[in-house]
Amino acid sequence: MTQVIAIDDSQKPALAPLIMPNRLLLGPGPSNAHPDVLQAMSKPPVGHLDPAFLTLMDEIQALLRYTWQTENQLTIAVSGTGTAAMEATIANAVEPGDVVLVGVAGYFGNRLVDMAGRYGGDVRVITKPWGQVFRLEELREAMETHRPAILALVHAETSTGARQPLEGVGDLCREFDCLLLVDTVTSLGGVPIFLDRWGIDLAYSCSQKGLGCSPGASPFTMSDRAMKKLQQRSAKVANWYLDMLLLGKYWGSDRVYHHTAPIELYYGLREALRLIAAEGLDNCWQRHQQNVEYLWDRLEEIGLKLHVDREFRLPTLTTVCIPDGADGKAIARQLLLEHNIEVGGGLGELAGKVWRVGLMGFNSRPESVDRLIAALQKVLP
Ligand code: PLP
C-alpha cells in the first residue's frame, strides 16, 4: 500500500513578489550594470551547446582580447566571480614547489598568497604599506633574491585605491625566466592595460566592475608561455572545474560539454564588452579618468582628503579618508538608506579609516559624482 505523507503547509513562507531598492552602486563593486546589459540578460535562453551560444562564446573571446589588448588564444570567461578566475590562474600556473613571489600592498595581494600556498607554491612575499606601489627596482631586487617561477601582482588594489605600474615588469620577468600573473579585477575596462605589450602571461578579472555587467562571468587569459608550462606539468591541475586543459576544449575547437554555462550572464557579458568596443577602449579609459578627476576635485572642495598619492590613484576606485571624529559606518549607512547610494567601507588595515568610492563602467558618469556629493553634503557632520 502506498503511504501518503501530508505536506506540512504551516511552515510555508508567504511572500510577496520580489521588490528590491534601486541603489546607485558607488562602492568597490558590484557597480550598476548598463541598462542594455540588463536587457540582453532577459533574452530567451538557448542551450549551452546551441550553435547560437557557441557563436556568442567566440564573440566574447574576441571582445575580451580587444579589451585586454592581447592575442592570447586561451582567453575565456570563467563561470564564477572574480575569485574563481583568480583561482583559475593560480591552479593552472602553480605547481607544487614552484617559488611564487607575491607583491602585497593590500587585501587582494594577501588572497593571492593564501591561494598560491594552497596549491603547493613556495610563496615569498614582498610588502608595501597599503596605498603605495612597488617600484621596478624593488621588484628587480626581489627577483634576484627569490628567483621565482611566477611573479604575482595586483594591478588595481581595490582595498587601497592604488594602481600598480606594470610597464617594464614583463621584460623583467622574461630576464628571470618567470611568468607574470596580474589581477585586473578592478582595472579591466577602466584602467589602461596592454597585456601583450607589457608581457603579462596570466590575467583575470570580473564582470561587475569596469565592464558594467552583473557578477558571475569572469575573464581569464593566459599566454603561450603560460600554456607551455601548463602542458608540461607533471601532475594534473588540482582543481577540475578550473583546469584550462579541460575548459579550453569547451571554449576551443572541441566544443564538448564541460559544465552548464550561466547562459544569460554570458549574454550580459557579451553586450557589456560590445558596448566598450562601440565606445572605443581609449574613449572608455578617458571617460573613467575624466570622471574620477571630477570626483577628486569635488571631494576636495567639500573638505575631504584622499588616501593615495595622485600619481598612483585608480580611475575606478578612490579611497577617501574618513574625517577625524566622524562615524564612517553611520555615514555610509545614511547614504544607503536615505539617499540610495552605496559606498564601501575600508577593508583590512584600512577598515574604519577610509570609504571606498567606485566609478566603474556605466556608473562612471558626472551624474553619479553630483548625486554622491549632494548626498555627502547632507550627511557629513
Ligand atoms: N581581486 C580584486 C582586486 C578584487 O577587487 C576582487 C573583488 O572585489 C576580487 C579579486 C574578487 O572578485 P569577486 O568578488 O568577484 O570574487
Side-chain angles (χ1 to χ4, degrees):
M1 228 173 77
T2 321
Q3 198 189 355
V4 179
I5 303 172
I7 292 170
D8 177 7
D9 261 352
S10 66
Q11 305 283 336
K12 183 170 72 174
L15 298 177
L18 181 67
I19 299 174
M20 293 300 284
N22 188 358
R23 313 277 201 220
L24 176 60
L25 300 176
L26 299 185
S31 58
N32 298 85
H34 192 290
D36 291 357
V37 170
L38 294 176
Q39 260 202 343
M41 288 199 291
S42 62
K43 295 220 182 286
V46 294
H48 62 98
L49 292 173
D50 190 297
F53 192 68
L54 298 181
T55 303
L56 178 137
M57 288 167 74
D58 290 342
E59 290 168 351
I60 287 178
Q61 290 186 288
L63 286 162
L64 275 177
R65 289 190 191 105
Y66 168 70
T67 313
W68 253 323
Q69 291 291 287
T70 181
E71 290 179 5
N72 287 346
Q73 181 59 28
L74 206 150
T75 302
I76 65 167
V78 169
S79 301
T81 67
T83 308
M86 180 184 213
E87 186 139 359
T89 60
I90 297 287
N92 285 276
V94 178
E95 281 186 89
D98 276 349
V99 174
V100 183
L101 177 63
V102 187
V104 176
Y107 178 92
F108 290 100
N110 278 327
R111 187 176 286 190
L112 278 169
V113 169
D114 188 356
M115 272 190 195
R118 285 169 191 242
Y119 283 91
D122 173 0
V123 184
R124 317 285 173 89
V125 177
I126 44 170
T127 58
K128 273 276 173 182
W130 287 32
Q132 294 184 24
V133 296
F134 296 94
R135 283 182 289 110
L136 199 53
E137 310 84 76
E138 292 169 328
L139 293 175
R140 170 176 289 282
E141 223 172 88
M143 298 282 275
E144 273 162 5
T145 310
H146 299 287
R147 306 271 157 181
I150 298 162
L151 169 65
L153 294 172
V154 180
H155 186 209
E157 185 40 91
T158 325
S159 61
T160 67
R163 180 183 50 81
Q164 171 64 50
L166 294 171
E167 294 90 329
V169 183
D171 290 342
L172 186 66
C173 285
R174 272 153 190 72
E175 208 182 308
F176 285 83
D177 195 20
C178 156
L179 293 179
L180 176 57
L181 184 163
V182 177
D183 178 319
T184 70
V185 168
T186 300
S187 59
L188 187 64
V191 186
I193 185 160
F194 299 91
L195 222 79
D196 287 358
R197 210 174 311 156
W198 291 351
I200 298 167
D201 294 293
L202 293 127
Y204 57 90
S205 191
C206 73
S207 43
Q208 73 273 16
K209 301 195 192 204
L211 302 188
C213 183
S214 295
S218 302
F220 169 97
T221 187
M222 70 197 290
S223 68
D224 290 347
R225 290 174 84 221
M227 180 51 87
K228 206 160 143 204
K229 182 173 189 318
L230 173 62
Q231 285 163 341
Q232 287 171 352
R233 285 177 76 104
S234 50
K236 283 182 179 177
V237 170
N239 186 315
W240 189 92
Y241 187 59
L242 300 172
D243 182 342
M244 285 301 150
L245 294 176
L246 303 178
L247 264 175
K249 287 187 189 153
Y250 176 42
W251 284 84
S253 52
D254 290 13
R255 301 332 279 256
V256 288
Y257 167 70
H258 176 270
H259 69 285
T260 309
I263 307 294
E264 290 81 357
L265 265 173
Y266 282 68
Y267 292 177
L269 180 61
R270 189 261 191 204
E271 185 60 13
L273 292 166
R274 186 195 68 79
L275 286 165
I276 290 178
E279 182 179 5
L281 201 47
D282 209 26
N283 293 335
C284 189
W285 291 340
Q286 272 185 39
R287 171 169 60 82
H288 280 81
Q289 189 63 35
Q290 276 164 10
N291 290 324
V292 88
E293 286 181 14
Y294 178 52
L295 172 72
W296 299 339
D297 291 348
R298 299 294 320 271
L299 287 168
E300 280 167 353
E301 256 169 50
I302 63 169
L304 291 168
K305 291 194 169 57
L306 307 184
H307 176 69
V308 177
D309 285 348
R310 197 174 177 105
E311 186 185 352
F312 299 115
R313 279 183 209 155
L314 283 170
T316 42
L317 193 283
T318 300
T319 36
V320 185
C321 302
I322 297 172
D324 287 343
D327 182 343
K329 254 194 188 157
I331 289 169
R333 202 168 160 72
Q334 239 182 316
L335 284 175
L336 186 73
L337 300 183
E338 293 172 17
H339 299 273
N340 268 323
I341 300 175
E342 179 180 272
V343 300
L347 200 56
E349 280 182 25
L350 294 178
K353 296 184 183 151
V354 297
W355 293 296
R356 291 181 299 151
V357 179
L359 282 183
M360 308 182 198
F362 176 62
N363 282 353
S364 175
R365 284 173 291 146
E367 303 90 278
S368 308
V369 177
D370 292 338
R371 243 185 92 181
L372 174 67
I373 298 294
L376 274 172
Q377 283 175 312
K378 292 204 177 101
V379 300
L380 282 174

